[in-house]
Amino acid sequence: VYFELNPMKTISTLFVILFLLGQLSAQKTISGKSAPTRINIQPSFERGNPPNLFAKLSFDDDNKNGILEANETARLILTITNKGKGPAQGLKISVKDNTNDGALNISDGQQISFVYPGKSVTVSVNLQAGMFIKSAEHKLEINVTEHFGYDMDPAYLMMNTNEFQSPKLAFSGLDIIDIGDGTTALNEDGQIQPGEQVKVKLMVQNIGQGISKNTSYSIKTTDANIYIPTTTGNVGDLAVGEVKEIWFTMSPNKRVSNSGNLPITLSLSNTDSRGELSSFQLPLAINKKPSSPIILKVEADPARLQTPVATFVYNSDKISANIANVIDITQAPPSKTILPDAVGIIIGIETYENFVPAPYAAYDAYVVKDYFSNILGVKNEKIWSFTNEKVNGNFFDNKFNPSYGELQKAVNKGQTDIYIFYSGHGIPSKSGDKVYLLPTDGRLEAIEKQGYELSTFYNNLNNLQAKSVTVFIDACFSGESRPTETQKVGNLIAAKGARIKPDISQPWLTNPNFTVFSSSDFDETSLGFDASGTGLFTYYLCAGLQGRADADGNKSITAGELFDYISSNVKETSIKIRGLQTPKFNGNKDKILVTF
């Protein structure tokens, strides 16, 4: 109820309120039964000075990719500010869709009684896509009307919906373990003999185009001579292309048949009951070694890779917009971690003299610098940052050679923590057995001379004998350039299709304080992320270090927590852009990187 500072009007209003309260307690009889009388009190609107409405619009969907997909909810968020001299009265919010898809539910129709001068109000309109939503572009007309006609200027949300993308669960292979705890082997030969107890490791994979949510398994046998103590379980969500392991124990007695595969089946199910695996007979046989597992590379649906993310369209300077699902990674909140003897080197090469650019690599370096200082605890004066033409000639050897490089001069053995960030191209040899970091003026023809082999890079860092080494690499070594939603992939080496399986040094196997976060597997492409203007890996690295990777909420982030956050988000987002990108980790997952 709205009061004016007028004594007579205030007294009159109070009498009205007392009368209405009395009416609320009144009873009336309906069909012989007593029921309360419902009275709706409508606000009273009066003309006066006009309002002046401004709005900030944002869009946020559950999986943060800017596209509304089947069984997903998104939020259209309006923050309405009145910059006029009079109150905005009787505001009504409506959102009209230009398509007719019954599987899209829009919770519009909200009303706001008053927005007083200088005040703001935030309203969220839910957009719910059902299971059977169609793939289409939607133009949502956003209207906010005011009782006396002082309406908000019109705006539109251009939003794409994607129909349900089915997972496809598949069996990838198995191993038989008859050595160690929980097994009793007659012959330790990786095979099953009657009378043994063995452990079986199954590998299952999602080779479809959608996530398999809450994936459960069931293992059954129709032979009473085979004992399987635990037959059901859950492996959680399986992302596109992801492989997970299922372990179970089995023991065939001496009466079991040894002809053909044993009658043991595997079934996989999920929340959406799509792409499931039903009663698949496992290739388990007596006295027979199983075939090696086969892991398939899953390519994304090309049509979906071109789907634009949600954008707002308006022609008014009273309206501003952003996509709310993009985290602001330019903010690096200070942590409690302080490493007075740490040193950091940041490298971002976006422009190359003899190769296509690596989009956003220089900006990656710019953003990460604050994370080194504010969060990881490296003093500003001990952070060296190099971009583009500064990374030329013998740069890598001059910096990282353990005998005469600049870094070794700053390292106190056993005391200094080293942090390295690299964003740019990684170049494989034509045979694919070696991979290199390349300076901005490097040439493919002189790769062995001008390039800096990754094994050399790791070995030289390890030979500095620092307290710890932590490396972040946002680069791919597949021979392709870094693509984004808007920029196509380019070929960096002349030999297309080379199998990239380098034999690199692995110092983390002997040095528990050597840690490497890599943006992708060697045969994959590392993507750029247009929404943030950074590499996709760099985006989630920064978001995780802001605190989002703190899975257990204990105000500390371990290397394992950070990697799990980066990996799950990069894999999920990458498949929406151009194809699966699988970050890799080597090192001690229990190492604490930051404490808040």
Side-chain angles (χ1 to χ4, degrees):
V1 178
Y2 173 66
F3 292 94
E4 292 187 9
L5 296 178
N6 182 311
M8 294 304 296
K9 287 189 177 183
T10 300
I11 293 172
S12 300
T13 303
L14 288 173
F15 275 115
V16 171
I17 293 172
L18 292 173
F19 171 75
L20 293 174
L21 291 173
Q23 291 296 313
L24 289 172
S25 63
Q27 304 288 310
K28 66 179 180 178
T29 301
I30 302 175
S31 301
K33 296 181 180 181
S34 182
T37 301
R38 295 175 179 268
I39 298 177
N40 294 322
I41 303 176
Q42 297 294 332
S44 176
F45 302 132
E46 296 184 3
R47 280 194 174 275
N49 289 324
N52 189 7
L53 298 181
F54 286 71
K56 184 176 181 179
L57 311 176
S58 62
F59 176 85
D60 177 35
D61 62 313
D62 288 344
N63 68 3
K64 312 300 182 185
N65 72 339
I67 301 168
L68 186 60
E69 294 159 314
N71 291 332
E72 186 181 24
T73 300
R75 290 146 295 280
L76 167 60
I77 302 167
L78 299 86
T79 298
I80 303 168
T81 302
N82 182 4
K83 296 185 180 181
K85 294 185 177 181
Q89 306 173 69
L91 300 182
K92 295 181 179 179
I93 293 92
S94 66
V95 179
K96 184 186 298 183
D97 186 9
N98 70 326
T99 68
N100 184 23
D101 191 337
L104 176 60
N105 182 46
I106 303 174
S107 66
D108 62 351
Q110 299 181 59
Q111 300 186 32
I112 304 167
S113 297
F114 297 96
V115 180
Y116 292 100
K119 300 296 182 181
S120 299
V121 64
T122 299
V123 177
S124 180
V125 178
N126 284 343
L127 310 172
Q128 175 65 53
M131 179 70 172
F132 301 104
I133 195 81
K134 297 176 183 177
S135 294
E137 182 180 79
H138 297 254
K139 184 177 183 180
L140 304 183
E141 182 180 348
I142 305 164
N143 287 301
V144 178
T145 59
E146 198 263 353
H147 182 76
F148 292 108
Y150 299 104
D151 305 336
M152 185 189 85
D153 291 342
Y156 300 89
L157 171 63
M158 307 299 296
M159 178 194 72
N160 279 274
T161 54
N162 270 347
E163 63 190 27
F164 181 78
Q165 299 294 314
S166 179
K168 185 177 181 181
L169 298 171
F171 167 80
S172 293
L174 60 83
D175 285 325
I176 297 171
I177 293 85
D178 56 359
I179 301 174
D181 185 46
T183 67
T184 55
L186 300 178
N187 298 307
E188 294 180 350
D189 55 3
Q191 302 179 29
I192 307 172
Q193 280 85 39
E196 287 187 331
Q197 178 170 291
V198 301
K199 289 184 177 180
V200 180
K201 180 179 74 173
L202 303 179
M203 277 161 278
V204 296
Q205 185 180 10
N206 177 10
I207 60 173
Q209 295 295 327
I211 297 173
S212 177
K213 298 179 181 178
N214 193 30
T215 307
S216 298
Y217 66 86
S218 173
I219 299 166
K220 294 182 179 180
T221 180
T222 57
D223 190 342
N225 295 308
I226 301 173
Y227 174 59
I228 304 175
T230 303
T231 59
T232 59
N234 190 291
V235 295
D237 294 350
L238 262 77
V240 176
E242 186 173 10
V243 179
K244 287 196 175 181
E245 297 176 357
I246 297 172
W247 288 80
F248 70 95
T249 300
M250 63 170 290
S251 177
N253 64 24
K254 294 294 184 70
R255 301 174 184 174
V256 72
S257 172
N258 60 2
S259 62
N261 287 335
L262 297 173
I264 302 175
T265 59
L266 167 69
S267 295
L268 299 169
S269 59
N270 53 40
T271 298
D272 295 315
S273 299
R274 299 295 182 93
E276 299 177 326
L277 183 67
S278 179
S279 300
F280 174 83
Q281 185 171 7
L282 295 173
L284 286 166
I286 297 296
N287 297 316
K288 185 177 180 181
K289 198 171 183 68
S291 301
S292 299
I294 299 175
I295 309 303
L296 301 176
K297 183 175 177 63
V298 182
E299 299 294 342
D301 179 359
R304 297 180 67 236
L305 301 183
Q306 306 304 321
T307 306
V309 298
T311 55
F312 290 96
V313 178
Y314 47 87
N315 292 312
S316 172
D317 57 5
K318 296 182 179 181
I319 296 175
S320 60
N322 70 292
I323 302 301
N325 54 30
V326 178
I327 300 164
D328 182 6
I329 60 168
T330 61
Q331 305 299 316
S335 73
K336 294 181 180 178
T337 301
I338 300 175
L339 302 175
D341 199 32
V343 61
I345 295 183
I346 299 172
I347 302 167
I349 312 176
E350 185 166 343
T351 57
Y352 290 81
E353 293 181 12
N354 303 297
F355 295 93
V356 295
Y360 309 130
Y363 188 63
D364 286 346
Y366 171 81
V367 171
V368 166
K369 187 175 186 297
D370 283 345
Y371 286 81
F372 271 34
S373 60
N374 294 1
I375 295 181
L376 294 176
V378 186
K379 290 183 177 180
N380 267 311
E381 60 269 23
K382 291 189 175 183
I383 299 174
W384 308 336
S385 184
F386 306 92
T387 58
N388 294 333
E389 66 276 0
K390 294 181 181 179
V391 188
N392 60 14
N394 294 321
F395 170 89
F396 292 103
D397 194 52
N398 290 338
K399 292 294 181 293
F400 299 113
N401 189 290
S403 299
Y404 53 78
E406 293 179 32
L407 181 56
Q408 59 90 22
K409 299 174 185 177
V411 172
N412 294 315
K413 293 181 180 180
Q415 299 180 36
T416 301
D417 296 288
I418 299 175
Y419 289 91
I420 307 292
F421 175 84
Y422 175 85
S423 180
H425 288 324
I427 308 292
S429 61
K430 290 186 177 182
S431 61
D433 60 343
K434 295 181 180 180
V435 289
Y436 299 87
L437 306 178
L438 199 68
T440 186
D441 57 349
R443 290 182 177 277
L444 182 62
E445 298 81 0
I447 187 72
E448 293 184 359
K449 181 179 179 181
Q450 294 179 314
Y452 205 63
E453 191 181 351
L454 198 60
S455 282
T456 301
F457 178 57
Y458 289 158
N459 283 332
N460 285 351
L461 289 173
N462 194 43
N463 290 336
L464 292 172
Q465 300 179 43
K467 179 181 179 182
S468 71
V469 176
T470 305
V471 180
F472 305 98
I473 297 184
D474 193 349
C476 60
F477 297 89
S478 64
E480 295 181 336
S481 67
R482 174 193 283 189
T484 75
E485 298 100 316
T486 59
Q487 301 186 49
K488 294 182 179 180
V489 66
N491 187 38
L492 299 177
I493 62 175
K496 289 187 177 181
R499 182 174 173 82
I500 313 299
K501 291 293 180 184
D503 182 18
I504 64 167
S505 173
Q506 303 180 62
W508 48 83
L509 296 179
T510 56
N511 182 354
N513 295 315
F514 200 104
T515 305
V516 177
F517 294 80
S518 303
S519 59
S520 61
D521 206 347
F522 285 110
D523 59 353
E524 293 178 339
T525 301
S526 292
L527 303 173
F529 192 38
D530 289 335
S532 62
T534 65
L536 183 61
F537 170 85
T538 299
Y539 173 74
Y540 284 113
L541 166 65
C542 295
L545 287 175
Q546 284 183 349
R548 290 172 175 82
D550 183 12
D552 56 12
N554 67 347
K555 302 298 182 181
S556 292
I557 298 175
T558 64
E561 284 180 315
L562 180 59
F563 174 70
D564 289 344
Y565 176 83
I566 294 171
S567 179
S568 60
N569 283 284
V570 166
K571 286 193 289 187
E572 182 174 326
T573 305
S574 64
I575 201 67
K576 312 295 183 183
I577 301 175
R578 283 190 182 275
L580 182 63
Q581 176 180 333
T582 311
K584 296 297 178 182
F585 174 84
N586 298 103
N588 178 13
K589 286 193 172 185
D590 294 327
K591 177 185 176 181
I592 296 176
L593 294 175
V594 60
T595 300
F596 290 95

